[in-house]
Amino acid sequence: MRELNLDQLRTLVSITDLGTFSAAAQALHLAQPTVSLHVSELESRLGTALVLRGGRRVVPTPAGAVLVERARRLLRDAD
């Protein structure tokens, strides 16, 4: 299994901020399937859903919200 990486975390934060996988893909200059893969890999690694899909906007689950806040700190520290 692959480890968590900053690109995956950056993708999750972007999805949360922008509300859709497509908007996150555009903002990060990634293909939409790559964005989906990042989230799927994170969810598989952590064994829990991180976002609620469906409807017009994607919203984080409680576990996703915790990870997004931690990811923001990690990404800030990495910059």
Side-chain angles (χ1 to χ4, degrees):
M1 177 75 53
R2 295 178 61 180
E3 297 296 321
L4 302 180
N5 67 51
L6 292 178
D7 290 333
Q8 293 170 337
L9 295 174
R10 189 173 289 110
T11 298
L12 180 64
V13 169
S14 184
I15 291 166
T16 301
D17 289 347
L18 299 173
T20 68
F21 281 60
S22 295
Q26 185 175 12
L28 296 171
H29 306 287
L30 297 172
Q32 196 275 336
T34 302
V35 169
S36 295
L37 180 64
H38 283 182
V39 174
S40 293
E41 287 177 342
L42 283 171
E43 290 177 331
S44 177
R45 174 78 175 126
L46 298 172
T48 189
L50 298 174
V51 295
L52 298 173
R53 297 158 176 89
R56 302 201 87 185
R57 290 186 59 87
V58 175
V59 296
T61 63
V66 169
L67 183 57
V68 165
E69 290 311 310
R70 290 182 181 174
R72 287 185 199 284
R73 287 191 299 266
L74 285 170
L75 292 168
R76 212 173 17 250
D77 290 347
D79 286 343

